[in-house]
């Protein structure tokens, strides 16, 4: 009645920003992501406890979302959940994605319930939409109920340099931010249509391992997502001064012949996509930007798994 699982957070190259069903976390448009090996969550679920409890990074949390997910999996026993992130929590680095992916896998393993990757992805989605992509890992596409891996992590040896541009949780969480954007941004319908155009193009570029094409598309897609959020009422501004400075730094690098492009989720942190041979220069340049706390250099990672 006890199991431990690990899962990696993911960064979307074609973004998820808008739901067609808030309760079931179903997206308005499909998305493409890659799991990152430095963004790891480890979760242990023990069933048969006296009451539900959820500990995250040593601090108690409300177990309500976890309980709803367990009930959806047919797990009615009380659960003690202990989870740890090896990276900043609730700060725009998709810790909820890796967290609920690890929870879904660990809970089903503890209960002795055999579930396919597709079923586990759909279950994790109920805790956090982007968790659907962390279950299969690698390069994943999320379409509707669940996500699937389209390429394994070995498909393309790239580096993802994460410039951490703030500390602590963001002011407006992704759930509330998505809802406000969908309801009040005049750009939102155009944004969703753009994502539907971007995804097939991104998949073709990924298949071809075209870094310039995919990097430029990912950067455009991210900036358009933030334009959509900025147009909400009241405006949603997730960036810090260091965020903007990192974007300028990457443009300077490209002008100097270093191929690196940015993507930014709903938070202040900038993820630079580059070839392994350029990662040291990109890391050093982003690390020199005022306000950047640290730079994490990641490679693509696999899916969620039960630990022995």
């Amino acid at each position: 009645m006890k199991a431990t699982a690990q899962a990696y957070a993911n960064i979307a190259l074609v973004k998820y920003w808008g739901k067609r069903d808030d309760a079931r976390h179903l997206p308005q448009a499909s998305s493409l992501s890659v799991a990152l090996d430095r963004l790891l969550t480890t979760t242990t679920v023990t069933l048969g406890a006296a009451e539900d409890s959820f500990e995250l990074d040593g601090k108690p949390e409300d177990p309500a979302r976890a309980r709803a997910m367990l009930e959806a999996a047919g797990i009615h026993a009380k659960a003690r959940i202990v989870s740890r992130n090896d990276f900043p929590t609730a700060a725009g680095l998709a810790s909820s994605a890796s967290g609920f992916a690890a929870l879904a896998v660990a809970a089903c393993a503890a209960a002795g319930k055999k579930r396919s990757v597709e079923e586990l992805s759909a279950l994790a989605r109920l805790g956090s939409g982007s968790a659907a992509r962390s279950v299969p890992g690698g390069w994943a596409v999320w379409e509707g109920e669940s996500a699937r891996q389209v390429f394994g992590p070995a498909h393309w040896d790239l580096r993802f340099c994460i410039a951490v541009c703030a500390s602590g949780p963001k002011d407006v969480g992704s759930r509330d931010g998505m809802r406000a954007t969908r309801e009040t941004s005049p750009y939102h319908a155009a944004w969703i249509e753009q994502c539907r155009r971007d995804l097939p193009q991104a998949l073709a570029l990924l298949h071809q391992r075209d870094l310039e094409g995919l990097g430029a598309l990912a950067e455009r897609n991210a900036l358009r997502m933030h334009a959509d959020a900025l147009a909400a009422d009241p405006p949603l501004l997730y960036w810090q001064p260091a965020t903007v400075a990192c974007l300028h730094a990457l443009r300077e690098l490209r002008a100097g012949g270093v191929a690196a492009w940015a993507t930014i989720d709903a938070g202040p942190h900038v993820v630079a996509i580059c070839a392994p041979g350029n990662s040291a220069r990109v890391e050093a340049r982003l690390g020199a930007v005022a306000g950047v706390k640290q730079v994490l250099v990641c490679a693509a990672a696999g899916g969620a798994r039960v630990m022995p």
Side-chain angles (χ1 to χ4, degrees), residues 70-92:
L70 295 180
E71 291 292 330
I75 300 171
H76 307 298
K78 300 297 183 182
R80 180 173 185 264
I81 302 165
V82 178
S83 191
R84 183 185 74 255
N85 292 323
D86 291 348
F87 61 100
T89 298

Side-chain angles (χ1 to χ4, degrees), residues 8 35 45 67 93 109 116 145 179 205 214 217 219 228 235 249 302:
Y8 298 96
V45 175
R67 168 45 55 191
L93 288 174
S116 67
E145 298 279 344
R179 185 181 303 110
L205 294 165
L214 185 62
L217 185 150
E219 186 166 290
D228 186 24

Side-chain angles (χ1 to χ4, degrees), residues 157-159 161 211 257-259 274-283 297:
D157 188 20
L158 292 180
R159 294 296 179 268
C161 302
L211 177 55
V258 178
C274 64
N278 285 329
S279 64
R281 292 181 66 181
V282 173
E283 178 185 11
V297 181

Side-chain angles (χ1 to χ4, degrees), residues 11-231:
I11 184 76
L13 305 184
V14 175
K15 300 295 187 188
Y16 154 55
W17 191 250
K19 300 177 184 179
R20 58 183 169 87
D21 186 321
D22 286 343
R24 299 173 64 209
H25 300 172
L26 294 176
Q28 289 180 288
S30 300
S31 55
L32 169 67
S33 69
V34 59
L36 301 179
D37 66 354
R38 295 283 301 277
L39 307 185
L40 179 66
T41 298
T42 303
T43 300
T44 298
V45 175
T46 304
L47 299 178
E51 61 180 8
D52 285 330
S53 64
F54 188 5
E55 178 184 302
L56 176 60
D57 293 336
K59 299 177 182 178
E61 298 283 337
D62 186 350
R65 284 172 67 184
R67 168 45 55 191
M69 201 178 79
L70 295 180
E71 291 292 330
I75 300 171
H76 307 298
K78 300 297 183 182
R80 180 173 185 264
I81 302 165
V82 178
S83 191
R84 183 185 74 255
N85 292 323
D86 291 348
F87 61 100
T89 298
L93 288 174
S95 59
S96 64
S98 52
F100 279 100
L103 175 58
V105 172
C108 288
K113 293 182 177 291
K114 301 292 186 180
R115 294 289 186 269
S116 67
V117 172
E118 181 180 0
E119 290 169 330
L120 289 168
S121 175
L123 178 62
R125 187 200 80 241
L126 299 178
S128 170
S130 55
R133 300 186 305 234
S134 282
V135 172
W139 301 87
V141 169
W142 174 21
E143 298 171 307
E145 298 279 344
S146 62
R148 58 187 173 88
Q149 186 182 103
V150 291
F151 292 103
H155 169 69
W156 196 359
D157 188 20
L158 292 180
R159 294 296 179 268
F160 305 86
C161 302
I162 306 173
V164 179
C165 295
S167 57
K170 54 195 179 186
D171 292 336
V172 180
S174 294
R175 286 189 179 196
D176 292 338
M178 273 190 230
R179 185 181 303 110
T181 304
R182 185 191 67 207
E183 293 175 354
T184 66
S185 172
Y187 300 161
H188 189 66
W191 152 253
I192 293 299
E193 288 304 315
Q194 184 63 53
C195 285
R196 291 171 179 159
R197 290 190 293 268
D198 283 349
L199 181 60
Q201 184 179 356
L203 287 171
L205 294 165
L206 174 59
H207 176 73
Q208 298 159 10
R209 299 185 184 88
D210 182 341
L211 177 55
E212 181 176 358
L214 185 62
L217 185 150
E219 186 166 290
R220 289 194 305 271
N221 186 270
L223 295 179
R224 286 166 174 167
M225 185 197 91
H226 284 274
D228 186 24
L230 280 166

Side-chain angles (χ1 to χ4, degrees), residues 235-294:
L236 290 166
L237 178 57
Y238 285 107
W239 294 1
Q240 294 294 327
T243 309
V244 179
C246 285
L247 290 173
H248 284 294
L250 290 174
R251 290 188 176 189
E252 291 168 8
L253 283 171
R254 289 201 297 272
V258 178
W261 289 266
T263 186
I264 311 170
D265 271 351
H269 317 300
V270 176
V271 182
I273 308 161
C274 64
N278 285 329
S279 64
R281 292 181 66 181
V282 173
E283 178 185 11
R285 181 65 185 87
L286 294 179
V289 170
V292 170
K293 311 295 183 184
Q294 62 176 322

